Amino acid sequence: MDGASSDPNAASFDCVTDDVFSRIASRYDVLCDLFSLGIHRIWKSRMARRIAAEPWDDMLDVAAGTGDIALRVIRNLGGATTRSCVVSDICPAMLEIAKRRAGPLAGALQFRVFDAHRLAEIASASVDLYSMSFGMKICDRKRAVAEAWRVLRPGGRFMCLEASEIPVRFIHRLYLAYMSFCMPVVGWVATGGDASAYHYLLSGVRAFPGARQFADEISAQGFVEVGYEQLSFGIVAIHTARKPR
C-alpha cells in the first residue's frame, strides 16, 4: 500500500495516551457512514454473513466497537441462538452503546472489556471463531494475530475485515488522495475539531499493508487455509484463515 511502513501498528495508536474512542463513542457510527459514504454497511453485512455461515459454538468478536458485526451475525442466525458470542472492546463507552443497540438481542451476547493484545481473560484454545473488523489498523497486528492464534481451538477460524489495497495503482492513489482531503474536513466538522478521531484512521488506511502482505503475516503465525476476499475494488478485504487441527 502506498506509504505503508514496517510498523506493526499502522496507525501508531496507543489507547493509554489517547482515549479518543471514549470521546467519540456517541458519534462513531455517524463517522463510519460519513467516511465511507455508507459503504461500510455493505462490507460489514458481507462479513457477518460469512461468519454466520461458519460452524462455531463460541465466537469472540474483538475490537467490536459499537457491536455492528456481532449484531448482524445474530440477526443472520435468526436472533435466537444457543451459540456463545462475546463482544469485546477496550473502550467501555463503545460497549455501552453496543449494549443499547442490541436491545432484545442483548441476551444472545456477552459484553466484555478486553484488550486485543492481551486477552488474558480468554483461555487458550477455547474459541471456535475469532473476528475483528477495522480494528487491526490501530493494533500492533503481530501481537493481535498471535493472541488470536492462542485463543483459537485447533481447527478454529480467524476472520478479519480490514483496509486493503486497490489493485489498479493509479486508482488506489486517487482513493488515498480523496481520503487525505475529505477525511480531515469531515472529521473536523463531525468531531468538533477532535483531530485524533480521524488522524488514526487516515494513518491506518495509508500505512496498513496490502491484502497479500497481511495474508503473508497471518501465514507466518502458523495459520493455514489463508485467503482473502477484496470488496469494493479492493478498498477493504475479508481475511480468513484456520488454526491447524
Side-chain angles (χ1 to χ4, degrees), residues 74-119:
I74 297 302
R75 291 187 186 111
N76 271 281
L77 294 173
T81 177
T82 58
R83 300 183 188 188
S84 170
C85 181
V86 175
V87 182
S88 71
D89 198 275
I90 200 168
C91 176
M94 297 283 270
L95 281 180
E96 284 301 317
I97 292 174
K99 290 179 186 178
R100 292 200 297 270
R101 292 185 63 198
L105 296 178
L109 303 166
Q110 301 173 54
F111 300 90
R112 299 287 186 270
V113 178
F114 291 158
D115 182 346
H117 302 118
R118 295 176 295 276
L119 297 169

Side-chain angles (χ1 to χ4, degrees), residues 185-203:
V185 174
V186 173
W188 182 269
V189 173
T191 64
D194 191 340
S196 294
Y198 53 87
H199 167 74
Y200 295 121
L201 180 56
L202 181 57
S203 297

